[in-house]
């Protein structure tokens, strides 16, 4: 392999800095029985900050999708402080529950009818101060979606996002638009449907952004039958990155 090729495939300083930041991160999967987990208040505060939802006395945002058997909700913690959260649904022909299916039943129903599967991330919310302190917070949070895509072997990963956020998903994940604007639930803003075809894009995403790498052990702990806190995310990203580099050297 030429030195020019090695330089072009080498991770950027930004990517390596994010791997370092993962030393301070924990991902905690929410138990379906815990209806007062802090992520529900974080959702509420984030939506109320933009006046996207009406006031409610409980000051939490939770819905029936949080109780679905194919739901995986997580809080992201930096230095033991909750900074963001995300919810994932893995939809199959047999288990179709997902928020985006309610907005675009024809498009997504057709995918499932064809025997394909998709991961549907939703409720991506963040603490205001953390967003300012950690500009890379979207990457740290969406790493969960990348890992889930790999764990479940999904055909697509969806991005049901506000139109102004679409360029980020096109640039980072190679997403393309599948449907126009729709509205979901109580949220007072439109979203568009984008998706990335994982058999093609997932290897490219992981190669370009090595902080998205993970070990099978980490993915099993996060998405397996027994949810529990992850104490050390960074070593798995580092280990997976190191193993990838070793494998590339041996093949060269």
């Amino acid at each position: 392999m030429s030195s020019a090729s090695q330089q072009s495939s080498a991770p950027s300083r930004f990517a390596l800095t994010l791997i370092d930041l993962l030393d301070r991160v924990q991902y905690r999967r929410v138990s379906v029985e815990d209806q007062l987990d802090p992520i529900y208040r974080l959702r509420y505060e984030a939506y109320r900050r933009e006046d996207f939802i009406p006031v409610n006395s409980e000051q939490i945002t939770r819905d029936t999708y949080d109780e679905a058997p194919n739901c995986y909700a997580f809080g992201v913690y930096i230095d033991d402080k909750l900074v963001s959260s995300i919810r994932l649904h893995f939809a199959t022909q047999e288990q179709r529950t997902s928020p985006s299916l309610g907005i675009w039943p024809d498009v997504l129903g057709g995918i499932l009818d064809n025997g394909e599967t998709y991961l549907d991330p939703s409720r991506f919310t963040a603490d205001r101060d953390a967003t300012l302190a950690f500009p890379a917070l979207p990457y740290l949070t969406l790493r969960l979606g990348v890992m889930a895509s790999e764990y479940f072997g999904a055909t697509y990963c969806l991005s049901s996002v506000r139109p102004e956020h679409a360029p980020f998903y096109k640039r980072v994940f190679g997403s393309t638009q599948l449907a126009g604007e729709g509205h979901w639930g109580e949220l007072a803003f439109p979203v568009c449907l984008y998706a990335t075809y994982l058999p093609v894009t997932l290897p490219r995403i992981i190669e370009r952004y090595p902080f998205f790498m993970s070990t099978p052990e980490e993915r099993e702990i996060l998405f397996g039958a027994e949810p529990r806190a992850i104490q050390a995310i960074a070593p798995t990203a580092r280990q997976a990155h190191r193993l990838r580099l070793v494998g590339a050297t041996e093949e060269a």
Side-chain angles (χ1 to χ4, degrees):
M1 180 182 294
S2 68
S3 59
S5 299
Q6 289 175 338
Q7 290 175 0
S8 64
S9 62
S12 66
R13 182 180 298 275
F14 169 75
L16 295 176
T17 299
L18 261 177
I19 291 181
D20 290 337
L21 184 55
L22 281 171
D23 284 326
R24 301 164 58 188
V25 170
Q26 283 184 320
Y27 296 133
R28 297 179 185 174
R29 181 169 154 191
V30 178
S31 171
V32 67
E33 288 81 16
D34 187 357
Q35 300 188 16
L36 297 177
D37 189 274
I39 72 163
Y40 302 127
R41 183 175 294 274
L42 177 67
R43 288 180 189 172
Y44 177 81
E45 293 173 348
Y47 291 143
R48 281 299 306 151
R49 187 166 62 241
E50 304 291 337
D51 202 26
F52 287 152
I53 60 171
V55 174
N56 72 60
S57 59
E58 293 182 329
Q59 296 188 337
I60 64 172
T61 297
R62 194 172 188 275
D63 57 51
T64 56
Y65 287 106
D66 289 302
E67 301 175 6
N70 62 333
C71 175
Y72 303 82
F74 294 91
V76 181
Y77 292 75
I78 296 179
D79 300 334
D80 293 322
K81 175 179 171 56
L82 178 64
V83 294
S84 66
S85 67
I86 195 168
R87 180 176 68 185
L88 310 170
H89 287 81
F90 177 57
T92 67
Q93 194 170 39
E94 295 75 24
Q95 177 49 266
R96 294 171 173 251
T97 303
S98 82
S100 294
L101 183 65
I103 310 175
W104 301 283
D106 293 340
V107 174
L108 297 178
I111 288 175
L112 299 178
D113 290 342
N114 288 336
E116 297 176 309
T117 62
Y118 64 79
L119 192 77
D120 187 6
S122 62
R123 298 297 198 191
F124 179 7
T125 49
D127 175 81
R128 177 184 174 86
D129 291 339
T131 300
L132 297 174
F134 304 104
L137 190 56
Y139 294 92
L140 299 174
T141 308
L142 293 170
R143 181 172 180 264
L144 285 158
V146 175
M147 288 190 289
S149 296
E150 188 169 4
Y151 179 82
F152 292 111
T155 313
Y156 297 92
C157 183
L158 308 184
S159 301
S160 301
V161 297
R162 293 157 62 183
E164 61 267 30
H165 294 166
F168 170 85
Y169 291 88
K170 291 191 288 186
R171 174 172 55 84
V172 176
F173 300 108
S175 299
T176 57
Q177 189 167 0
L178 297 187
E181 292 186 0
H183 285 81
W184 181 76
E186 78 285 24
L187 299 181
F189 56 80
V191 291
C192 295
L193 179 62
Y194 285 76
T196 185
Y197 182 62
L198 293 164
V200 172
T201 60
L202 185 58
R204 299 174 183 173
I205 293 167
I206 292 176
E207 183 69 27
R208 184 177 181 186
Y209 302 104
F211 49 81
F212 284 148
M213 293 182 184
S214 59
T215 62
E217 292 78 12
E218 180 184 358
R219 296 192 293 272
E220 178 60 34
I221 293 172
L222 284 168
F223 306 109
E226 296 295 332
R228 55 187 186 272
I230 308 304
Q231 299 300 325
I233 296 300
T236 70
R238 291 183 193 280
Q239 180 183 358
H241 184 216
R242 189 179 300 115
L243 290 173
R244 180 69 64 88
L245 292 177
V246 169
T249 301
E250 291 176 348
E251 292 175 2

